[in-house]
């Protein structure tokens, strides 16, 4: 046998070196880490009885603190690092005696053999403790030094290192159409146009992708997309909740969020304004609106409820939400007792609660628009002027002699009296006119006469008559009339009426409305609770005397229904009656009208909900077992001791800390949690799951980061660059990690089934609001109007109003019908049904991540909901109207480019063509079905609508690849 060759020797040495590297790596990985390996076991199996909660602690043993776990307990130690055999912890977990075994059998918890082995090895290695990773300040990591052309920025170094360590490489980049569609869905929540997709596909410049990222980050729709996520955290809704669940105005806060995100407001300022904007020096209206974050709590308004009980509930909600949103901690678990797992004591919970206990809940009246403000100012100015004139006129009248000359009335015989709409007007010997025959919905009486003397006033008398309904004096069914306008022409010149009076006027129909120039108002005589069918009289005075040819036009109510005068007489006078000679009544009427106008304008003033600090602080007490009636020790506002302290200037005796101090503490550079929590949440927006999967729990029970060094890098980078959120979104979007294909990889999935190593992108259905937004985009119906009061898009019948609150749903018309989902009105007790079907949150508590289900009801909603049918019709019509649709294949390709951002594959095109042709034949043969589908349009258009409906129902349409 020949000896080893040179090649064999080299190969042998290479193998030995590889084994050595694997051995070194294995040794490093086998070294037990407390945070990674031990704390999760202790937290889940031991801390409930041997953790932070002193009232529930057994045997005076605490295992979450090193000093406590290793201290002498009277001759024994739970953990004895110098003598592992003397560690009671090991003795108890390996015991078979039910009375000695830990965890005890009755706890329904147990340790597996590998977990016991881990604990034993850890103690043998010296039982080193570590401070919980999330409570340590992020440390700037060293970038893994792996050279690769795949890497595009720092993120990719961390991802590549983990994949390579497990023997995998990343997925290739997604195709350009998929990539652009992904960007649009993630950053603005809308479909790219076919033109935008093709432009990107054909743009081969190095910065083509970056230009699209920048454009989407600059889009005003970016704020709507990311604002939706923040509103979930803010538990935003348009109603109070509970049984009454009445609507309230808080939408200005929603608009503030969208605007702040679009402006790229630094997250530290974003935080401070929402938690304490009212406490900033010279707080602006915008900053006070921002405090609506904590006014989004449910609010009980039922009679008989205890206001203090529900105020306390709202304050707890604010405390719990602050902990979840900014700290990623389940602080609410300490409401009734010290936290069983995390180092948050019962007292500390109420110290945190005290920050919010000192807040009042004002309704903010916001400054109106410049146009509305000018109208209000003008009305107030005129109102003040009329008040002054009225006071002066009343004073003058008291001083005037009471010898006014009563008028002499002369009955007018008209040379012509006609009804322009065909009624008959007959004037009798006493000059009374009686209408008969046709009673038009609306009519104008034209009366003419010659006057040989100056006429200063007219008297209009109305009379009852057996020939009129209910005796009249009007021709309406109840005998009423509405004189909308009386107009006077002298020698063909219109003469203004300056004053009027009547012996009676129906409420809301004063005689002055008979010459206000508005055909929908007028003088009427109905009497609520009194007698209607009696004679009534009105008087009118003019700006100058009438002489010669005079024409009177008496116009009826524009809203119709035959409210014409049935029997009447007109008389003239050379002098006005004393009541009209005085300006008092005219001024009083004008005053009343202006006051009504001002009330109407003030009702248009926008209101929102905010917070304000009390000048006299409330006292805060620990609530025993969470009962606000069972008071424990008094506490003052303070932060969690496990984290950094409040800044020294807040701890003087001059004042107690307030919400502004708390907000600054939350975004302090010393806070280890907030930057990690926010960076993790931004990551979650772009991958559907965070680097810390339990995004609402960074405590002991939460999951460990899949890439702890990457999370620290992102947290440090966020703060270093001024808390700019858009910058972080761009950093992630520009990474090769984000750009990967989402194609399933069986071998990778076998070892990493939840894609923790990020060897591919994640594929998932978009949220409920975006499902509808995409359909609106494809249909061409989408309104891009931003902001303003919430809207009421179409809903299925008999859905809203089924709760005890019996809601109204005033279905929006015009473009409001097609607004984005973020503007849809949200009732807490009866959520917009489509959002419930697609896993919308409950709105009572902060939602840090929506669940995603896959149910038949979702498919049925898209297929059959009336609003989706409306969008399918619009989509089909959009295709049919395009000249390309003259050719079926071209129309199919256009439809796919609109809905799916790609052309169809040949097999898809064949199936869609066959379906289109089959539906065309069906509609040609069934005109009634064509009517149902296309509303009387041609069968060809109905076929396109059917095809559009198929595309909207595809899983691909509502899926982010």
């Amino acid at each position: 046998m020949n000896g080893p060759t040179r090649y064999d020797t080299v190969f042998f040495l290479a193998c030995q070196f590889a084994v050595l590297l694997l051995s070194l790596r294995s040794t490093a990985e086998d070294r037990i880490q407390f945070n990674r390996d031990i704390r999760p076991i202790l937290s889940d199996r031991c801390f409930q009885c041997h953790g932070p909660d002193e009232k529930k602690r057994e045997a005076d043993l605490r295992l979450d603190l090193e000093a406590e776990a290793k201290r002498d307990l009277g001759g024994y130690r739970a953990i004895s690092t110098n003598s592992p055999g003397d560690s009671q912890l090991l003795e108890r977990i390996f015991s078979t005696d039910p009375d000695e075994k830990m965890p005890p059998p009755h706890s329904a918890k147990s340790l597996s053999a590998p977990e016991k082995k881990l604990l034993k090895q850890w103690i043998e290695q010296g039982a080193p403790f570590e401070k919980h990773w999330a409570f340590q300040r992020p440390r700037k990591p060293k970038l893994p030094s792996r050279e690769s052309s795949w890497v595009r920025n720092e993120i990719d170094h961390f991802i590549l290192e983990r994949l390579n360590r497990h023997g995998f490489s990343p997925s290739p980049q997604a195709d350009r159409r998929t990539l652009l569609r992904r960007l649009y869905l993630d950053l603005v929540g809308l479909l790219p146009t076919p033109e935008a997709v093709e432009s990107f596909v054909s743009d081969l410049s190095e910065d083509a992708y970056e230009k699209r990222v920048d454009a989407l980050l600059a889009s005003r729709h970016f704020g709507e997309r990311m604002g939706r996520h923040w509103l979930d955290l803010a538990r935003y809704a348009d109603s109070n909740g509970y049984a009454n669940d009445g609507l309230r105005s808080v939408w200005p806060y929603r608009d503030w969020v969208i605007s702040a995100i679009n402006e790229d407001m630094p997250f530290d300022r974003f935080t401070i304004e929402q938690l304490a904007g009212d406490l900033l020096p010279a707080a602006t209206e915008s900053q006070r609106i921002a405090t609506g974050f904590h006014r989004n709590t449910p609010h009980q308004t039922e009679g008989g409820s205890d206001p203090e009980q529900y105020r306390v509930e709202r304050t707890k909600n604010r405390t719990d939400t602050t902990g979840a949103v900014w700290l990623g901690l389940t602080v609410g678990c300490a409401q009734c007792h010290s936290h069983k797992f995390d180092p948050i004591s019962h007292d500390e919970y109420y110290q945190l609660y005290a920050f919010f206990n000192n807040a009042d809940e004002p309704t903010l009246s916001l400054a109106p628009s410049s146009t509305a403000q000018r109208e209000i100012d003008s009305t107030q100015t005129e109102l003040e002027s009329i008040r002054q004139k009225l006071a002066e006129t009343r004073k003058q009248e008291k001083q005037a002699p009471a010898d006014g000359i009563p008028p002499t009335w002369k009955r007018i015989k008209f040379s012509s009296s006609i009804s322009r709409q065909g009624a008959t007007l007959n004037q009798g010997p006493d000059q009374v006119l009686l209408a008969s025959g046709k009673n038009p919905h609306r009519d104008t009486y034209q009366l003419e006469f010659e006057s040989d003397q100056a006429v200063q006033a007219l008297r209009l008398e109305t009379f009852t008559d057996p020939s009129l309904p209910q005796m009249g004096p009007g021709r309406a069914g109840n005998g009423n009339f509405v004189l909308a306008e009386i107009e006077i022409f002298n020698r063909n010149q219109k003469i203004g009426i300056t004053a009027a009076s009547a012996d009676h006027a129906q409420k809301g129909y004063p005689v002055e409305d008979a010459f206000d120039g508005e055909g929908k108002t007028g003088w009427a005589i109905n009497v609520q609770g009194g007698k209607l069918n009696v004679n009534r009289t009105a008087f009118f005075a003019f700006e100058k005397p009438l002489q010669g040819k005079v024409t009177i036009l008496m116009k009826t109510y524009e809203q119709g229904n035959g409210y014409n005068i049935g029997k009447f007489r007109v008389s003239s006078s050379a002098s006005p009656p004393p009541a009209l000679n005085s300006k008092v009544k005219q001024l009083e009427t004008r005053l009343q009208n202006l006051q009504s106008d001002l009330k109407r304008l003030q009702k248009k003033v926008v209101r929102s909900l905010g917070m304000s600090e009390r000048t006299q602080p409330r006292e805060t007490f620990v609530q025993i077992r969470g009962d606000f009636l069972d008071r424990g020790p008094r506490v003052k506002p303070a932060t969690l001791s496990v984290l950094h302290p409040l800044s020294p200037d807040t701890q003087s005796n001059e004042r107690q800390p307030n919400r502004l101090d708390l907000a600054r503490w939350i975004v302090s550079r010393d806070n280890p949690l907030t930057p990690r929590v926010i960076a993790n949440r931004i990551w979650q927006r772009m991958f559907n799951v965070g680097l810390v999967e339990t995004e609402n729990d960074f405590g002991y029970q939460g999951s460990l980061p899949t890439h702890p060094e990457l999370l620290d890098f992102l947290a440090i980078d966020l703060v270093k660059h001024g808390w700019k959120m858009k910058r972080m979104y761009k950093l992630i979007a520009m990474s090769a990690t984000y750009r990967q294909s989402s194609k399933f990889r069986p071998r990778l999935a076998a070892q990493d089934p939840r894609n923790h190593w990020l060897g591919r992108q994640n594929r998932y259905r978009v949220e409920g609001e975006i499902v509808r937004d995409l359909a609106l985009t494809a249909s061409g119906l989408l309104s891009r109007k931003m902001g303003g009061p919430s809207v009421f898009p179409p809903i299925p019948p008999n859905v809203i109003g089924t709760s005890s609150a019996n809601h109204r749903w005033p279905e929006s018309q015009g473009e409001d019908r097609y607004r984005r989902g973020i503007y849809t009105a949200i009732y807490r007790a009866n959520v917009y049904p489509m959002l419930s079907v697609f896993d919308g949150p409950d709105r009572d508590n902060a939602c840090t991540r929506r669940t995603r289900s896959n149910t038949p009801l979702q498919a049925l909603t898209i297929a059959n909901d009336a609003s989706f049918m409306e969008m399918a019709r619009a989509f089909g019509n959009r295709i049919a109207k395009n000249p390309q649709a003259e050719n079926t294949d071209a129309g199919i390709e256009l439809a796919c480019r609109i809905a799916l951002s790609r052309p169809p594959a040949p097999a898809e095109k064949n199936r869609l063509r066959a379906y289109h042709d089959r539906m065309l034949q069906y509609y040609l043969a069934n005109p009634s079905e064509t009517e149902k589908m296309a509303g009387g349009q041609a069968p060809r258009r109905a076929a396109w609508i059917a095809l559009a409906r198929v595309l909207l129902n595809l899983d691909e349409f509502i899926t982010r690849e």
Side-chain angles (χ1 to χ4, degrees), residues 528-824:
Q528 290 183 339
K531 196 170 183 181
L532 165 63
N533 307 106
V534 295
N535 299 342
R536 296 297 184 191
T537 303
F539 302 90
F540 302 91
F542 316 118
E543 60 186 4
K544 62 181 182 179
L546 312 176
Q547 196 162 6
K549 182 183 178 182
V550 177
T551 300
I552 304 173
L553 299 181
M554 297 169 58
K555 298 181 178 180
T556 316
Y557 202 29
E558 274 187 13
Q559 291 184 236
N561 297 325
Y563 277 86
N564 304 298
I565 296 178
K567 188 175 183 180
F568 63 97
R569 178 168 60 201
V570 183
S571 304
S572 64
S573 172
S575 59
L580 295 182
N581 201 33
S582 168
K583 289 188 177 180
V584 170
K585 188 169 183 65
Q586 180 183 354
L587 291 171
E588 286 176 340
T589 300
R590 182 60 183 154
L591 185 68
Q592 292 172 359
N593 290 341
L594 286 170
Q595 288 170 334
S596 297
D597 289 345
L598 188 60
K599 285 182 180 179
R600 174 179 55 80
L601 292 170
Q602 289 172 337
K603 282 182 179 178
K604 292 183 178 180
V605 172
V606 174
R607 290 174 172 78
S608 195
L609 306 178
M611 303 280 280
S612 64
E613 198 77 351
R614 295 171 63 87
T615 53
Q616 292 297 321
R618 287 189 179 95
E619 290 187 314
T620 300
F621 299 87
V622 172
Q623 296 174 17
I624 308 301
R625 295 178 296 278
D627 183 353
F628 79 107
L629 297 175
D630 192 355
R631 290 182 169 183
R634 182 186 287 109
V635 294
K636 291 187 176 181
T639 52
L640 303 180
S641 61
V642 72
L643 299 175
H644 59 295
L646 279 168
S647 59
D649 64 328
T650 65
Q651 300 181 38
S652 67
N653 293 323
E654 296 178 8
R655 66 170 179 85
Q656 69 176 26
N658 57 29
R659 283 178 288 116
L660 183 56
D661 300 313
L662 174 65
R664 287 172 172 158
W665 175 83
I666 284 173
V667 293
S668 164
R669 287 179 175 269
D670 295 326
N671 191 333
L673 283 172
T674 302
R676 284 192 178 106
V677 168
I678 303 310
N680 187 65
R681 199 169 284 136
I682 292 174
W683 185 274
Q684 177 180 288
R685 303 286 174 256
M686 303 293 273
F687 290 91
N688 190 47
V689 63
L691 296 169
V692 177
E693 191 168 5
T694 54
E695 77 297 324
N696 63 339
D697 188 358
F698 277 52
Y700 293 169
Q701 289 285 92
S703 59
L704 293 169
T706 58
H707 298 74
E709 295 85 3
L710 173 56
L711 181 60
D712 278 7
F713 167 79
L714 294 174
I716 291 169
D717 190 76
L718 178 64
V719 177
K720 177 183 176 182
H721 291 94
W723 293 92
K724 290 289 190 176
M725 291 185 283
K726 282 189 179 182
R727 184 187 181 281
M728 179 145 291
Y729 279 110
K730 180 175 180 178
L731 181 69
I732 295 171
M734 293 300 296
S735 70
T737 304
Y738 175 82
R739 302 191 212 186
Q740 291 178 100
S741 167
S742 61
K743 186 177 179 181
F744 183 72
R745 300 171 62 183
R747 194 172 73 85
L748 176 65
Q751 294 194 44
D752 182 26
R754 303 188 68 177
N755 196 29
H756 285 159
W757 303 339
L758 289 165
R760 60 181 178 85
Q761 249 290 4
N762 291 316
R763 181 183 190 273
Y764 49 89
R765 194 206 71 228
V766 296
E767 307 100 289
E769 292 91 341
I770 308 302
V771 169
R772 182 170 175 273
D773 290 351
L774 298 186
L776 284 170
T777 312
S779 70
L781 293 173
L782 176 69
S783 164
R784 295 179 184 263
K785 176 182 174 184
M786 295 185 67
S790 296
V791 296
F792 299 83
I795 58 170
N798 305 316
V799 175
I800 295 293
T802 56
S803 70
S804 59
N806 193 25
H807 298 126
R808 291 178 59 254
W809 191 264
E811 192 170 290
S812 297
Q813 302 300 321
E815 71 171 324
D816 280 353
R817 187 181 182 90
Y818 310 114
R819 300 281 301 281
R820 291 198 68 170
I822 193 172
Y823 301 113
T824 297

Side-chain angles (χ1 to χ4, degrees), residues 323-363:
V325 170
W326 279 278
L327 304 178
L329 295 177
T330 55
V331 298
C333 294
Q335 280 188 30
C336 304
H337 48 72
S338 291
H339 203 296
K340 291 191 178 298
F341 304 103
D342 294 339
I344 305 171
S345 72
H346 191 36
D347 287 3
E348 282 184 323
Y349 176 84
Y350 287 98
Q351 290 169 353
L352 198 59
Y353 168 99
F355 284 105
F356 303 104
N357 195 36
N358 195 39
D360 279 338
E361 303 173 317
T363 296

